[in-house]
Amino acid sequence: MTTKQVPVESTAEAYIELLAARGVDYFFGNGGTDFGPIVDAYAKRLEQELPVPKPVTVPHEITAMAMAAGYAMVKRKPQVVMVHTIPGTANATGGLINARSNNVPMLFSAGRTPLTETGLKGSRNGGIHWAQESRDQGSMVREWVKWDYELRDGVDLEGVVDRALAITESEPQGPVYLSLPREVLAKEIESFSYSDRPRMQPNHAMATPESIKEVAQLLAKAKNPIAVTSAIGRDPEAVPLLVKLAETLNMPVYAGGTYMNFPVTHPLHQGGMAGPALSEADVVLVFEQDVPWMPSSGAGPNENATVVGVGVDPLFTNFPLRSFPVHINLTGISRYTIDALLNALSAETLDQAAIAARGEKAAANHDKVRAAAKERALKGKDERPLNKAWVSYCFEQVRDENMTFISELGLDYSQMEFTQPNQYYGVSTAGVLGWGVGAALGAKLAMPDRTVIASVGDGSYMFGVPEAGHWVSRKMNLPVLYVVWNNSRWNAVASATRSVYPDGWQERTSHKPFSDLSPALDFEMLCQAGGGYGERVEDPAEVPAAIERALHAVRVEKRQALLNIVGA
């Protein structure tokens, strides 16, 4: 370990130097009056070609948070977002909740109203500097971050940044929050010394050998083991190991959710939710799934089944209420846990006849599930408004291995045949709308050679501040294909009301308060305003050709595109 000393002019410049040294690629910024020291330091370092995380100007905090999350989701390394004091923090909080729900590492930072009224470089010099001060700025987001702190002096900079990065990357991963007073950033210094090696590293828990052996013995004796998962694909290296474990036991896997968790074409893939299969299972492996079944629907394991929680936090300790059983807890990074289970199973005697019978049954059900999905799509091929299954099926027909889908509502996952983790990413289970537009841009930034397709509902699209997204796409040359499912309503609001009042006034009348989004905007024109290709699609027969035109714009013309899908 060696100490590096570099000339700098301010704490802000030292901060940028340190972030670059620690491997941060991008600094997503939505600026304000607190940004002066950061702006000036960046201007100097860009002029002198000194190391920096690349600055990305984003015209809205929602888009900035989603871009950082989308990039980290793909690269699996934290990026920096900085917003303007209290207003910026407030605007960004929805994205912060999504990042926490999706276990996305992120150094979320905000300026702070100057601490002093006069006397220091950076002291208050604007009327807003009094009204914007908070007694405890971190309290705004404390419930949604793993750690928060306010930098009080540049002398602590290295320790604070290293601690922030180590905590955000420690499992279960999640965002951290750092507030930065303007005087602290503006403090003039001549040099900055820091270690070439971070002071702290992320920590990782691991299941005990005893618990691994116990579960291996259970699986060896099980008659009907099943696995359910919604987020094991967050770690791409865990997916092939889950496949190997499933194949070793011919164990049915129910995989949906926020990532590509198990190859859809594999004969052991049984669809999304386990449903009735839960009642027949004697061992249920729950891999990184916050809601493994829906209690209100009556689904769930039988009382004699053993539920094994596998993941970085099988108890989901950040949830105030979660009563799903976890009889055996295998805490740790899933790929290591599965590898240990496979090694332990090799020492057990397996009933090969029972395993073969399970495989035949699972393969038959897999074929049935896939056939039903295709039948549902073809049944809707002539429908107006457009049928989601049919449109999704059309995308599957042209999909190649170089496509990545970012889905915030709309896409019918059952029509897709994803086989690799980088082919699909879904919205946070927290469901704070506005994620898809920016997340697609962040994913494209992380995977510039892949074709990125963002699937969003019309309400989600508007929540995502599309003008900001289309501007960033144009500014940074990030051609994304946006598919807006335009049904002129917030279906989540209408369906949630229907679930409580199936025969209520909403269903018996024409009144749809708080869910009616008619008349719809001409969303394609927003993309055109950003220099992109836009098309309204209403004819089901025209869907394949419209998709081809949009893909041509993105892949050949290298500009963004939007399909306004007028659907049910």
Side-chain angles (χ1 to χ4, degrees), residues 139-469:
S139 67
M140 296 179 65
V141 298
R142 193 159 292 141
E143 187 168 354
W144 308 110
V145 297
K146 296 179 64 180
W147 172 87
D148 72 278
Y149 188 71
E150 182 167 289
L151 184 66
R152 293 158 190 172
D153 194 284
V155 70
D156 292 324
L157 181 65
E158 182 183 7
V160 168
V161 169
D162 282 352
R163 180 166 174 76
L165 293 175
I167 290 174
T168 192
E169 290 191 86
S170 293
E171 298 288 359
Q173 294 184 346
V176 296
Y177 182 65
L178 178 63
S179 55
L180 301 163
R182 192 167 72 170
E183 299 98 321
V184 176
L185 290 176
K187 185 176 180 180
E188 295 176 343
I189 55 178
E190 295 182 354
S191 65
F192 174 55
S193 298
Y194 63 95
S195 169
D196 64 346
R197 186 172 69 182
R199 296 187 186 190
M200 288 158 266
Q201 292 293 330
N203 59 56
H204 306 294
M206 187 61 197
T208 66
E210 293 79 12
S211 61
I212 291 288
K213 183 177 180 180
E214 181 183 5
V215 173
Q217 291 174 342
L218 277 170
L219 290 172
K221 297 175 183 177
K223 298 301 182 185
N224 293 300
I226 66 171
V228 298
T229 181
S230 65
I232 197 173
R234 182 169 67 93
D235 177 2
E237 295 179 50
V239 174
L241 287 167
L242 178 57
V243 171
K244 186 175 180 180
L245 178 63
E247 289 176 344
T248 300
L249 299 164
N250 268 342
M251 177 175 61
V253 177
Y254 296 85
T258 52
Y259 297 87
M260 201 304 294
N261 300 296
F262 196 85
V264 176
T265 56
H266 196 289
L268 291 173
H269 187 281
Q270 306 293 289
M273 299 296 282
L278 284 163
S279 62
E280 302 172 2
D282 49 2
V283 177
V284 181
L285 295 181
V286 180
F287 291 95
E288 298 284 10
Q289 180 143 343
D290 53 354
V291 183
W293 56 85
M294 190 60 63
S296 61
S297 70
N302 67 75
E303 61 182 13
N304 296 316
T306 299
V307 178
V308 182
V310 185
V312 294
D313 182 16
L315 298 179
F316 289 85
T317 52
N318 61 314
F319 286 18
L321 176 65
R322 185 182 187 274
S323 302
F324 300 103
V326 184
H327 299 123
I328 303 176
N329 189 325
L330 298 184
T331 303
I333 296 173
S334 292
R335 68 176 183 270
Y336 299 142
T337 302
I338 299 172
D339 189 53
L341 278 173
L342 286 166
N343 289 331
L345 276 169
S346 66
E348 300 292 333
T349 301
L350 304 179
D351 185 342
Q352 296 299 333
I355 289 173
R358 278 203 301 268
E360 292 177 4
K361 181 179 178 182
N365 189 60
H366 168 83
D367 292 342
K368 182 179 178 181
V369 169
R370 299 308 303 156
K374 182 176 180 179
E375 181 182 357
R376 190 169 61 254
L378 296 180
K379 185 179 179 180
K381 70 182 181 67
D382 298 318
E383 290 183 7
R384 290 176 183 251
L386 298 177
N387 180 284
K388 287 182 181 178
W390 164 244
V391 177
S392 299
Y393 175 84
C394 291
F395 269 104
E396 175 58 31
Q397 303 316 298
V398 299
R399 186 182 65 83
D400 58 37
E401 295 304 301
N402 196 46
M403 284 186 186
T404 294
F405 284 76
I406 307 295
S407 180
E408 182 181 14
L409 306 177
L411 185 72
D412 184 344
Y413 189 96
S414 71
Q415 301 302 325
M416 315 305 292
E417 296 189 349
F418 300 123
T419 59
Q420 300 298 321
N422 66 351
Q423 294 173 346
Y424 174 82
Y425 300 91
V427 67
S428 153
T429 54
V432 179
L433 298 184
W435 171 85
V437 171
L441 291 168
K444 182 65 176 177
L445 195 62
M447 302 181 293
D449 295 329
R450 293 187 66 82
T451 302
V452 175
I453 300 173
S455 171
V456 296
D458 48 359
S460 301
Y461 178 72
M462 289 190 282
F463 263 117
V465 195
E467 299 91 338

Side-chain angles (χ1 to χ4, degrees), residues 6-250:
V6 295
V8 296
E9 295 180 359
S10 66
T11 300
E13 187 180 355
Y15 180 50
I16 295 168
E17 163 78 24
L18 185 60
L19 292 175
R22 296 304 188 240
V24 175
D25 298 326
Y26 289 94
F27 190 116
F28 299 92
N30 184 270
T33 58
D34 48 337
F35 266 60
I38 294 289
V39 171
D40 203 62
Y42 253 112
K44 173 200 168 181
R45 295 182 72 84
L46 291 170
E47 177 66 22
Q48 298 182 1
E49 298 183 348
L50 296 170
V52 297
K54 186 174 181 180
V56 179
T57 303
V58 189
H60 200 284
E61 296 87 351
I62 286 173
T63 311
M65 294 293 285
M67 282 191 73
Y71 187 90
M73 184 174 63
V74 173
K75 290 291 191 179
R76 304 189 64 240
K77 57 187 292 192
Q79 302 304 304
V80 169
V81 177
M82 185 168 174
V83 299
H84 170 54
T85 65
I86 293 294
T89 300
N91 277 350
T93 299
L96 191 69
I97 295 170
N98 279 339
R100 179 62 185 265
S101 175
N102 261 12
N103 296 118
V104 172
M106 179 190 300
L107 174 47
F108 173 47
S109 60
R112 188 207 186 278
T113 297
L115 302 165
T116 56
E117 293 187 331
T118 188
L120 294 176
K121 193 176 189 70
S123 291
R124 299 181 185 186
N125 61 353
I128 63 172
H129 289 155
W130 280 261
Q132 276 188 355
E133 184 174 21
S134 168
R135 291 179 175 83
D136 182 4
Q137 188 164 309
S139 67
M140 296 179 65
V141 298
R142 193 159 292 141
E143 187 168 354
W144 308 110
V145 297
K146 296 179 64 180
W147 172 87
D148 72 278
Y149 188 71
E150 182 167 289
L151 184 66
R152 293 158 190 172
D153 194 284
V155 70
D156 292 324
L157 181 65
E158 182 183 7
V160 168
V161 169
D162 282 352
R163 180 166 174 76
L165 293 175
I167 290 174
T168 192
E169 290 191 86
S170 293
E171 298 288 359
Q173 294 184 346
V176 296
Y177 182 65
L178 178 63
S179 55
L180 301 163
R182 192 167 72 170
E183 299 98 321
V184 176
L185 290 176
K187 185 176 180 180
E188 295 176 343
I189 55 178
E190 295 182 354
S191 65
F192 174 55
S193 298
Y194 63 95
S195 169
D196 64 346
R197 186 172 69 182
R199 296 187 186 190
M200 288 158 266
Q201 292 293 330
N203 59 56
H204 306 294
M206 187 61 197
T208 66
E210 293 79 12
S211 61
I212 291 288
K213 183 177 180 180
E214 181 183 5
V215 173
Q217 291 174 342
L218 277 170
L219 290 172
K221 297 175 183 177
K223 298 301 182 185
N224 293 300
I226 66 171
V228 298
T229 181
S230 65
I232 197 173
R234 182 169 67 93
D235 177 2
E237 295 179 50
V239 174
L241 287 167
L242 178 57
V243 171
K244 186 175 180 180
L245 178 63
E247 289 176 344
T248 300
L249 299 164
N250 268 342

